[in-house]
Amino acid sequence: MKKTKSLLCIMLVLTLFLAALPYQAAEAFRSSISRDRTPVVTPPEYQKPPSSPTTPPPSPSPQQPPSDSNKGDTGYNTPSRRSINQRSYTPVPVPTRPIPGPKPEPEPDPSPPPHPSEPLPDAPSWLNANEAKAFQLLNEFRVENGSAPLLADRRLTDVARAKAQDMIDNDYFGHISPTYGSVGNMLRSFGVSFSVAGENLSKAGTVARAQLQLENSTQGHKQNMLNTKYNKVGIAVLPLSKTPGVLLVQIFTD
């Protein structure tokens, strides 16, 4: 009885094994045949579902005022980075030091340099009082303006006296004498040699006024008195005949 049950169990197991074996092999083969014979079918293109009508994009909403999100508990606004960058400021000018340029050269002094102080020559004894006074004033004026003093020359003084007397006698006042001609002609007639020569004439109430008139004249009298080419002078002072005053004559040579 026990052997029969065992035999039945064995046979049942074998039957189940054999029944399962052909099913698996056929399934595998059929699957391969169907894979080889199945036509390749291209799947239909994907069709998008019909979309709804296009709606316009939403219009931008008006700019909202800045919120008070930056406010703290204290109620003060905390400046944002944008507000800091946009803050206006006034640049402070930085002082610059000027670049020193070349110093301007000093303008030359139009006045001649003062002549070294030296004693004025004494008036010679053959000059009268008025002529000595005129000689002194002339040299003082030259030294004050940087020119060396002149020496009184007797021959030149004789020529100056002759010219002064000629003007009084012939009642004229000028450099051209009706008797002697020009100053150069007159010097040559008196035997005086020279390279350059000049003459000043003045008449006034006193010797000092006559000298001052020459200093302020605009006709070259001042240039004659300060000319450095002159070394000698002849001076004559005679009283006027028709009016009170004196007539002053100065003749210069080198």
Side-chain angles (χ1 to χ4, degrees):
M1 188 69 179
K2 293 181 178 181
K3 290 183 180 181
T4 303
K5 290 181 179 180
S6 301
L7 182 61
L8 290 173
C9 291
I10 293 172
M11 289 177 64
L12 182 60
V13 171
L14 289 175
T15 301
L16 294 173
F17 176 78
L18 292 175
L21 180 62
Y23 175 80
Q24 293 179 355
E27 181 70 17
F29 182 77
R30 188 176 57 187
S31 175
S32 63
I33 291 176
S34 63
R35 184 169 54 247
D36 293 339
R37 291 184 180 183
T38 303
V40 179
V41 178
T42 304
E45 294 183 359
Y46 174 76
Q47 296 181 358
K48 296 181 181 180
S51 58
S52 59
T54 305
T55 58
S59 59
S61 59
Q63 187 175 1
Q64 299 295 333
S67 61
D68 297 338
S69 58
N70 292 330
K71 289 186 179 181
D73 297 339
T74 58
Y76 294 97
N77 288 331
T78 304
S80 62
R81 179 180 302 176
R82 184 174 182 182
S83 64
I84 293 176
N85 294 337
Q86 293 180 352
R87 182 178 300 171
S88 62
Y89 67 96
T90 303
V92 179
V94 179
T96 57
R97 181 179 299 178
I99 300 176
K103 295 183 179 179
E105 298 181 358
E107 297 182 359
D109 188 0
S111 60
H115 194 273
S117 59
E118 55 182 280
L120 297 178
D122 295 332
S125 57
W126 37 265
L127 291 177
N128 60 40
N130 285 334
E131 293 171 346
K133 179 65 176 179
F135 177 71
Q136 180 184 1
L137 293 175
L138 172 61
N139 276 335
E140 288 178 355
F141 180 69
R142 283 179 62 92
V143 172
E144 289 174 359
N145 288 273
S147 299
L150 298 174
L151 296 176
D153 185 84
R154 187 160 190 170
R155 296 180 65 185
L156 289 178
T157 299
D158 293 339
V159 175
R161 288 171 177 171
K163 178 63 181 289
Q165 191 63 49
D166 184 64
M167 286 191 292
I168 292 174
D169 294 342
N170 293 288
D171 193 18
Y172 75 94
F173 184 81
H175 294 290
I176 303 300
S177 168
T179 306
Y180 304 104
S182 65
V183 177
N185 293 335
M186 189 175 183
L187 288 173
R188 293 185 187 94
S189 64
F190 278 81
V192 178
S193 60
F194 61 94
S195 298
V196 289
E199 181 184 61
N200 281 347
L201 306 176
S202 179
K203 56 182 178 179
T206 62
V207 174
R209 288 184 177 273
Q211 173 64 26
L212 186 62
Q213 184 173 318
L214 293 175
E215 293 177 4
N216 296 324
S217 175
T218 59
Q219 299 180 2
H221 301 95
K222 180 178 179 180
Q223 287 74 7
N224 276 341
M225 290 188 293
L226 298 179
N227 196 330
T228 56
K229 294 181 180 180
Y230 298 150
N231 299 316
K232 296 179 291 184
V233 64
I235 292 182
V237 178
L238 295 178
L240 295 174
S241 59
K242 295 182 178 181
T243 59
V246 294
L247 177 63
L248 172 63
V249 178
Q250 298 172 340
I251 296 180
F252 309 91
T253 62
D254 53 349

